[in-house]
Amino acid sequence: MEADMSAGDLDRRVQFRRVTRMNTALGQEETWADLGSPVWASRRDVSDGEKAAAGGVFSTVSARFQIRSSTFSRGITAKDMLTCDGREWEIVGIKEIGRRDRIEITATARTDR
């Protein structure tokens, strides 16, 4: 059985964001808006790498964030994103840890922005 996550493990604030669609004179526009309030999370980097695209090279990092399970956190989807330490993270995986104890979110971010 895994040990419970203590408050000391939750040492970062993350803000979840969700895309919203607005009708404008030019049609529909998509923008990102904050989803709820920031929550405490732990972060563990799991990999990094470089990729080439459109003639340039950029680097990425993947990390696993854990947050407490709640009605709010169980509503987060891979269509959402999170921000942490000034960086935008694309959510690529979400899983439940324990019996609704924690949510683990795997996410990737570019490190050159």
Side-chain angles (χ1 to χ4, degrees), residues 7-46:
D9 294 333
L10 304 174
D11 60 353
R12 299 180 189 255
R13 296 290 272 176
V14 298
Q15 174 66 59
F16 291 95
R17 307 198 81 211
R18 182 165 282 169
V19 72
T20 60
R21 291 174 180 79
M22 297 178 3
N23 289 321
T24 67
L26 301 174
Q28 272 201 347
E29 182 179 309
E30 291 185 349
T31 59
W32 289 92
D34 288 351
L35 179 64
S37 299
V39 297
W40 288 103
S42 67
R43 174 181 153 190
R44 184 171 49 94
D45 292 348
V46 292

Side-chain angles (χ1 to χ4, degrees), residues 42-99:
S42 67
R43 174 181 153 190
R44 184 171 49 94
D45 292 348
V46 292
S47 69
D48 58 6
E50 291 184 351
K51 296 181 182 178
V57 175
F58 63 92
S59 60
T60 61
V61 64
S62 294
R64 291 197 177 104
F65 295 87
Q66 284 195 11
I67 59 176
R68 286 192 171 96
S69 181
S70 66
T71 302
F72 169 76
S73 64
R74 288 188 299 273
I76 295 165
T77 72
K79 292 180 182 179
D80 299 325
M81 79 156 82
L82 67 90
T83 59
C84 179
D85 298 331
R87 186 172 286 155
E88 292 182 341
W89 295 80
E90 179 183 345
I91 297 172
V92 295
I94 300 171
K95 67 180 178 182
E96 188 175 296
I97 304 291
R99 297 185 67 164

